[in-house]
Amino acid sequence: MRRRGVVAGGAVLVLLLAGCSAGDGDSAKPSVATPAVTVPTAPPAAAAVALGPTGPGTAKACVGTAIAVGADPQKVIDAAPEGTTFCFAKGVHRISRAIRPRAGDTLAGGKGVVLTGSVALSGWQRDGDRWVVRGVLPAAYPLKGQCEDNKAKPCQRGEQVFVDGKHLTRVMSLGELEPGTFFGDYASNAVYVGDDPDGRAVEMSRTPTAIEKSAEDVTVTGLTIEHFASLPQGGALQVGPGWKVVSNEVRWNHAVGIMVIEGDRAELSRNTVADNGQLGIGQYKSEGVRITANLVTRNNTDGFWIADWESGGIKSTRSSGEVSGNDIVGNRGIGMWSDIAEYDRTITGNRIRGNAADGIRYEISYQAVIEQNVVEGNGYGTGRGSGGSLWDGGGINVNTSAGVQVRGNLVKDNRNGISLQSRTRGDGPRGTYVLRDVTIEGNLVVMQDATSSTGVVENKGSPTRPGAITFRHNSYQIGGKSADRFAYQGKTLTWPQWQEAGFDQDSVSS
């Protein structure tokens, strides 16, 4: 789409000075703290923090109304009063329709409690060097989503196939079929696999959603939620206002693992969100949400567009709140992405490593603090729209946003360091989208790759105004070719030239 604190002791000294970040008449003018920071001498505290256990093993034991394996959960829920705690029995619960909790309900489990949206496939017939089963695919449904392969578009279909729990890769023609893959022929309602299914457990995801956001103040804890055929931008677990989603594992669902939709005040903590087809966690039109201490890893398994379509770790739109203390690791897309009219966003103390696109992207939004994060080894994905220029992003990418503080982060060995982009992006609810009132301070930026750089890129229609961007009190460690590792006004600059342009005059480079 291309719309696209805790302070470490000895690392960054924060002097609590009052200040404000006032814009022009075409944007909001809230007062925010603007602390000054000294040049860092060590990484932030997050670099030495271990996340610790996440998932159902960290959930409290459930005491409440039992839901047996094989029972219809909705019938049990509807027969009890609101505010009941429901305890799913250990085992596999096949969910054929989305569960709709009531206000104040708790849906709980523990280790070994699995909600699955898959159906077992049987009745296979050999067809040459492949196997086929017929009559198992759903009726036609609308397709959407941008895929890495934008011709065959394999990511748009929701059904996945698993053999003995192993995820098969979808191919788009019988001629491409081989072991480890499957082909869904929707015209003839047939599923083909390249592995002999005899004696093996073959399942296909079929139900789109495990739990719907049907009421407020619901708690979901201790559940493993897997194999749901969620459609692009749809979540296997939907989260509403005041929900608490704690100590779950949400894995191997086709689109988004956990999706907060108009879910003000929701809290997500200690979840493992892994191997989902598009995105780990999504947030839409939700204020004051807290996403803390989650493991978000290896998402975008089904081939969504890595560089620029809601794939990867966490994506939030038109929302606010806190993203802190998470491990966001090895996702095939952006690590943490705030996009379109985000406001009052805090991204702090996360460990964001090895994601294929930007580590953090803050895009056409307002008022954010990006602080004390470890952002390391991001942006080395290849494919459509990927590249090494500052237009392609960096460890931290601030794109046409206002009132953004980037301070006290370790930005290490990413494709680029810190990328500021000024584009022509139109108007939002708090004024024109523009790169303004952006402060980059107290960061430790390590650029060992000889092609990586830090700086500002602008299109002709959106030049940055004088004083719109401040770099100060940063420390740069630069390896390899060091002559021209900075950029401004269409030019690559040496360190002295970068300082002469008015940036980082009280910073250090080595």
Side-chain angles (χ1 to χ4, degrees), residues 25 77 134 151 170 191 235 241 290 359:
I77 291 168
R134 302 183 185 280
K151 296 181 180 178
R170 179 189 292 275
V191 173
R290 297 184 69 243

Side-chain angles (χ1 to χ4, degrees), residues 76-127:
V76 179
I77 291 168
D78 291 344
E82 289 186 352
T84 296
T85 295
F86 299 96
C87 303
F88 285 84
K90 186 176 181 179
V92 176
H93 299 255
R94 294 198 181 273
I95 307 301
S96 59
R97 56 173 175 153
I99 298 168
R100 297 177 58 82
R102 291 86 39 79
D105 283 351
T106 294
L107 305 181
K111 275 183 134 181
V113 177
V114 178
L115 308 189
T116 180
S118 68
V119 295
L121 299 183
S122 59
W124 292 93
Q125 297 179 340
R126 185 153 191 164
D127 181 14

Side-chain angles (χ1 to χ4, degrees), residues 4 115 133 234 247 249 313 344-345 363 387 400 403 419 448 489 491-492:
R4 307 206 247 206
L115 308 189
V133 62
S247 299
E249 182 166 7
D344 194 21
R345 170 65 70 189
E363 185 169 2
T400 322
S419 170
Q448 296 296 329
Q489 293 185 334
K491 299 177 182 179
T492 56

Side-chain angles (χ1 to χ4, degrees), residues 198-219:
D198 186 45
R200 308 177 74 179
V202 185
E203 298 177 285
M204 182 185 74
S205 58
R206 179 69 183 262
T207 306
T209 307
I211 301 170
E212 289 185 349
K213 61 173 202 75
S214 52
E216 296 190 6
D217 302 322
V218 171
T219 297

